[in-house]
Amino acid sequence: MQKNGAKQLRAHQREAFNAATRALKHLPRATVISATGTGKTITAIRIAEHFADSGNVLVVVPP
């Protein structure tokens, strides 16, 4: 699911999105590890949007 006007994911973000969504279909949690400035927040938002209609989404970040 992508809202109108939302930016397209870059190739590395799309790869992370695909890997995470595949994993989360079979596992209760997943971790996306990428370097600083590579768009983890945008990728996480897209993953959360993808699963939002199927139940609760919990995102945990360190303080």
Side-chain angles (χ1 to χ4, degrees), residues 1 7 9-10 12-18 20-21 24 30-34 38-52 56-61:
M1 165 175 28
K7 292 182 179 180
L9 293 177
R10 295 179 179 153
H12 67 278
Q13 293 167 320
R14 172 63 54 192
E15 185 177 340
F17 171 87
N18 290 337
T21 54
L24 289 168
T31 302
V32 174
I33 301 171
S34 295
T38 58
K40 290 180 295 293
T41 300
I42 299 298
T43 304
I45 290 168
R46 293 290 187 281
I47 294 166
E49 288 173 346
H50 178 80
F51 287 104
N56 295 327
V57 175
L58 173 65
V59 178
V60 179
V61 296

